[in-house]
Amino acid sequence: MNYVSIGDMAQSFQLRQHNTQLKTTLSQLTHEVVSGVKQDIGAAVAGDFTSLSGLNRSLSMMDSYKVVSTEAALTTDTMQQTLGVIQSLSDDVGTTLMSAATNFSPTLLDVSVTDAAQKFSTIISALNTNVAGRYVFSGAATDTAPLADPADILAALKTEIAGAISADDALTIIDDWFAAPAGGGGFVDTAYRGDDSLGLTFRIADGETTSIDSSASDPRIRDALKGFAIASLMADGLFAGDQQARSTLATASGERILSGNSRLTALAADIGAKQGKIADTQTRNQAESTALKLARNDLISADPYESATALEAVNTQLETLYTLTSRLSRLSLADYL
């Protein structure tokens, strides 16, 4: 039998080459076992990356829609919670004011309007809520608080009713001021600082958007604020000393609070419909994203059994190479002789 021998340097080089190859393969297989993705993507797709690129693009879009829909859900949830705060504050105040007006008790009336004035400030603060850097009741101007300070709003109203000689005159002026459209010099121009020209639009899915048109200038919110504003003006001394006029104003304030509270229910229903749409879209997006991930896995996923078996085989080969290398390194002429 003929043997072909190689020199020591060649043998050393060959052993190092085998060692490098086995370590590289070991690293690749380890990556496949841990990640579940084939190391050689090109071989997995047979050199055609068209389908994989399309899937990756679609998944990126799904990630974007997830972020946007989450923002939309956060916005509508915050709006709904704010309306809940306003309604909870309105439930008892309206009835209390009307009751105080009929009792003809100056003390009870003063206490009732003072409580309503405090709640007016609370409602303004709630409508000026900023969540994740966005003022949700400002329309498109999400970087600006929608309403002026309560003191500024009341100061503007005081100027408007300065010439009123009766409670009915004051109520007419206040009603007109809150109902005036943009450009009419009323609430929208004086107290509201948002932007309703475009509304707030979210693209929550491919070809699907949801627009949130409700803002602090919504007539239903203005109606809710109006009754509290009347009570706040009374707490600040409107028609002080004229018990009949104050009783008339308190009754009107309570009626407007209760009426505004009823209209807020319709607004809450509108926002609830948008919440439902957003939730449905999120569910569809999640299902589509899962389907896309499964399709991508079919293309590039590594079989865990095959990868683990190959990894064990390579590990055995590497150990065998180390054993051979160790034995060859101990060879000497003295041992041979």
Side-chain angles (χ1 to χ4, degrees), residues 93-162:
V93 175
T95 303
T96 300
L97 285 168
M98 295 176 68
S99 176
T102 58
N103 286 332
F104 295 102
S105 170
T107 301
L108 179 59
L109 191 59
D110 289 343
V111 170
S112 299
V113 297
T114 298
D115 179 56
Q118 293 174 348
K119 287 180 169 58
F120 178 66
S121 296
T122 301
I123 290 173
I124 296 297
S125 177
L127 289 169
N128 283 339
T129 294
N130 182 305
V131 56
R134 186 194 302 272
Y135 290 98
V136 297
F137 282 96
S138 289
T142 56
D143 58 340
T144 303
L147 296 178
D149 291 337
D152 294 336
I153 296 175
L154 295 177
L157 272 173
K158 287 180 186 177
T159 301
E160 292 292 324
I161 62 175

Side-chain angles (χ1 to χ4, degrees), residues 1-215:
M1 182 180 293
N2 295 324
Y3 294 93
V4 178
S5 63
I6 57 176
D8 290 344
M9 290 186 65
Q11 186 181 69
S12 176
F13 174 77
Q14 190 177 56
L15 291 172
R16 286 199 304 271
Q17 185 181 40
H18 288 325
N19 182 55
T20 301
Q21 291 174 344
L22 288 173
K23 283 186 175 180
T24 300
T25 303
L26 184 68
S27 176
Q28 293 175 346
L29 291 172
T30 300
H31 177 271
E32 289 186 4
V33 170
V34 173
S35 67
V37 178
K38 293 181 180 179
Q39 179 72 14
D40 190 348
I41 302 298
V45 298
D48 184 1
F49 286 88
T50 304
S51 297
L52 181 60
S53 297
L55 290 171
N56 285 335
R57 177 186 176 281
S58 296
L59 283 169
S60 296
M61 294 299 295
M62 287 295 105
D63 289 341
S64 299
Y65 293 143
K66 181 179 180 180
V67 172
V68 175
S69 62
T70 299
E71 291 179 354
L74 180 61
T75 297
T76 52
D77 290 349
T78 302
M79 296 179 79
Q80 199 71 274
Q81 291 168 6
T82 300
L83 295 180
V85 169
I86 298 174
Q87 290 186 297
S88 67
L89 293 175
S90 302
D91 284 338
D92 297 329
V93 175
T95 303
T96 300
L97 285 168
M98 295 176 68
S99 176
T102 58
N103 286 332
F104 295 102
S105 170
T107 301
L108 179 59
L109 191 59
D110 289 343
V111 170
S112 299
V113 297
T114 298
D115 179 56
Q118 293 174 348
K119 287 180 169 58
F120 178 66
S121 296
T122 301
I123 290 173
I124 296 297
S125 177
L127 289 169
N128 283 339
T129 294
N130 182 305
V131 56
R134 186 194 302 272
Y135 290 98
V136 297
F137 282 96
S138 289
T142 56
D143 58 340
T144 303
L147 296 178
D149 291 337
D152 294 336
I153 296 175
L154 295 177
L157 272 173
K158 287 180 186 177
T159 301
E160 292 292 324
I161 62 175
I165 59 176
S166 69
D168 289 336
D169 287 342
L171 289 172
T172 299
I173 294 171
I174 293 171
D175 285 338
D176 291 342
W177 189 80
F178 272 96
F187 176 90
V188 176
D189 297 324
T190 307
Y192 181 60
R193 297 174 176 176
D195 180 6
D196 295 340
S197 60
L198 298 175
L200 192 58
T201 301
F202 297 92
R203 181 172 293 279
I204 56 178
D206 188 16
E208 185 173 359
T209 61
T210 184
S211 297
I212 300 175
D213 302 320
S214 303
S215 68

Side-chain angles (χ1 to χ4, degrees), residues 224-298:
L225 290 173
K226 182 165 53 180
F228 285 96
I230 295 171
S232 298
L233 290 172
M234 292 176 62
D236 199 37
L238 179 63
F239 288 108
D242 188 341
Q243 189 62 23
Q244 182 60 47
R246 287 176 68 81
S247 294
T248 299
L249 289 171
T251 299
S253 173
E255 291 174 345
R256 284 159 175 75
I257 288 174
L258 293 177
S259 174
N261 195 26
S262 177
R263 296 198 68 193
L264 283 181
T265 301
L267 177 57
D270 290 344
I271 296 176
K274 296 183 184 298
Q275 286 179 295
K277 178 181 179 180
I278 293 169
D280 290 343
T281 302
Q282 286 179 312
T283 300
R284 292 199 307 272
N285 286 347
Q286 181 61 43
E288 184 175 350
S289 180
T290 300
L292 289 169
K293 289 178 180 178
L294 290 174
R296 185 176 65 177
N297 286 341
D298 288 342

Side-chain angles (χ1 to χ4, degrees), residues 309-331:
T309 302
L311 179 63
E312 184 63 27
V314 171
N315 188 57
T316 300
Q317 291 175 7
L318 192 60
E319 291 177 355
T320 301
L321 178 65
Y322 287 159
T323 300
L324 291 174
T325 302
S326 174
R327 290 181 178 180
L328 288 172
S329 65
R330 291 198 301 269
L331 291 179

